[in-house]
Amino acid sequence: MLVAAVFGLAASVAAHADGVVDVSNVNSDLIATADDKKYTIATVVKVDGIAWFDRMRDGVEQFKGDTGHDVWMIGPSQADAAAQVQIVENLIAQGVDAITIVPFSVEAVEPVLKKARDAGIVVISHEASNIQNVDYDIEAFDNLAYGANLMKVLGEATGGKGKYVATVGSLTSKSQMEWIDGAVAYQQEHFPEMSEAMGRLETYDDANQDYTKLKEAMTAHPDIVGIVGGPMPTSAGAGRMIAEGGLKGKVHFAGTGLPSVAGEYLANGDIGYIQFWDPAVAGYAMNMLAVAALEGKRDQIAAGLNLGLEGYDSLIAPVEGQPNILYGAGWVGVTAENMADYDF
């Protein structure tokens, strides 16, 4: 029966090859199930209804279509740790087979994820490299290197001089904090004439909060010349603030963003650079690991694993003593010149 299941999966993947995620080389053996078993898997995100997680939903829904598993995505209407915890509690009560999660606050979800695992639920996380109570965490890339590259671009734009400010969704959003750690370390080594104007701004993955808090920062520190954006919505909040304030060419931005969100500001030259990975592929990858773990293929989920997805074709395990923390190499950089290459 397993051979038939593999064949059926390969045929299904081929039939969905025109989806948002390129699965032409997907590792079908990894997610093949004995006797064509179907699992219930919920993907819990930081906040539902923003472009980033809309794109992740596309990948999750493609995984459902490709494999036939009962897979869906859910998240709070606003970035709120307690609301995310309650969603996980509800999923435990429902008895799902697996939960994949992008935590708003790693510390907040640790106890409830332990409860899920104690109940026999497989847990896979993303953007949570310091998490403990999961079976596996999969990151799109090395977080410090991601942030360092943002600062490299920003420092070149500012001429390596002046003050800058950084945003994060939350001070407990481990991956975003590491991006900014990487940016600051790169600045200190390569741009000694630059400095942080103030502490990191918590913007709760909300472009309006980004706009308001950045505007307040500029009022308090009018000599700011650079913004490093951790959360994706900062690209829009910063772009709006720069455009409305007549700060084009005076205040520079480099941060996480999507063309669908920041495109007008890139095109107008209000911001110069965004960096991202495809959340649809990340959602697909998390669900692949969930199925593999449920099928008892844990010996395969290790450094060197090839998921057959772009950016996840040779996973590494860089955290000493934690072989279940896996990294891909999946970020891209976008400017006005190449933004048309990305339709999300």
Side-chain angles (χ1 to χ4, degrees):
M1 293 296 293
L2 180 58
V3 173
V6 172
F7 178 79
L9 179 63
S12 174
V13 167
H16 291 84
D18 58 348
V20 296
V21 179
D22 180 0
V23 294
S24 55
N25 295 308
V26 74
N27 187 339
S28 298
D29 291 341
L30 183 71
I31 53 176
T33 60
D35 298 319
D36 203 24
K37 184 173 177 60
K38 303 302 179 188
Y39 294 107
T40 57
I41 307 171
T43 296
V44 183
V45 298
K46 296 179 185 180
V47 55
D48 203 356
I50 65 172
W52 187 267
F53 291 118
D54 288 345
R55 177 70 176 182
M56 182 169 282
R57 175 178 275 110
D58 291 341
V60 171
E61 291 183 348
Q62 183 179 341
F63 186 84
K64 178 179 182 177
D66 288 350
T67 64
H69 294 295
D70 183 10
V71 175
W72 69 97
M73 195 188 90
I74 186 171
S77 58
Q78 294 181 321
D80 180 83
Q84 195 177 46
V85 167
Q86 186 57 55
I87 288 171
V88 176
E89 289 278 12
N90 294 342
L91 293 170
I92 295 170
Q94 292 173 35
V96 297
D97 294 310
I99 294 170
T100 72
I101 185 167
V102 187
F104 177 68
S105 166
V106 169
E107 289 80 0
V109 298
E110 288 279 25
V112 75
L113 294 183
K114 182 180 186 302
K115 183 178 178 181
R117 295 186 72 210
D118 288 346
I121 297 171
V122 166
V123 178
I124 311 294
S125 61
H126 177 61
E127 288 191 58
S129 59
N130 65 324
I131 202 162
Q132 299 296 317
N133 289 300
V134 296
D135 292 85
Y136 299 96
D137 174 75
I138 184 162
E139 301 292 318
F141 40 72
D142 178 275
N143 289 322
L144 296 177
Y146 180 88
N149 198 63
L150 290 177
M151 181 54 69
K152 179 177 183 293
V153 173
L154 185 67
E156 290 170 353
T158 64
K161 298 179 180 180
K163 293 182 180 179
Y164 64 95
V165 64
T167 64
V168 291
S170 164
L171 294 174
T172 60
S173 295
K174 177 64 174 180
S175 291
Q176 291 186 17
M177 289 292 283
E178 286 187 342
W179 301 344
I180 305 306
D181 289 344
V184 172
Y186 191 91
Q187 171 263 305
Q188 291 174 345
E189 180 179 355
H190 296 276
F191 303 119
E193 294 183 68
M194 293 180 69
S195 63
E196 290 182 274
M198 59 194 302
R200 298 170 192 186
L201 304 177
E202 279 188 297
T203 60
Y204 300 95
D205 294 87
D206 183 318
N208 289 326
Q209 291 238 28
D210 282 292
Y211 169 80
T212 299
K213 292 195 174 185
L214 287 170
K215 196 171 181 180
E216 291 171 352
M218 290 299 304
T219 299
H221 302 274
D223 53 349
I224 287 174
V225 297
I227 300 167
V228 184
M232 180 277 294
T234 301
S235 58
R240 177 186 166 197
M241 189 273 295
I242 290 169
E244 291 183 1
L247 299 172
K248 183 192 302 185
K250 299 174 183 177
V251 176
H252 303 274
F253 174 85
T256 307
L258 290 177
S260 62
V261 172
E264 65 175 295
Y265 301 113
L266 283 169
N268 294 336
D270 300 308
I271 63 175
Y273 180 81
I274 59 173
Q275 193 166 278
F276 59 92
W277 66 106
D278 190 341
V281 183
Y284 204 103
M286 284 194 291
N287 278 273
M288 285 186 70
L289 292 188
V291 170
L294 287 164
E295 281 293 301
K297 299 178 183 178
R298 294 172 185 267
D299 59 324
Q300 297 181 44
I301 308 175
L305 175 63
N306 179 6
L307 297 183
L309 304 176
E310 185 176 0
Y312 299 86
D313 54 2
S314 184
L315 300 183
I316 63 172
V319 182
E320 186 175 355
Q322 292 185 278
N324 65 324
I325 309 295
L326 300 165
Y327 287 62
W331 87 62
V332 295
V334 169
T335 65
E337 284 67 39
N338 67 337
M339 60 181 279
D341 295 341
Y342 302 92
D343 61 355
F344 61 93

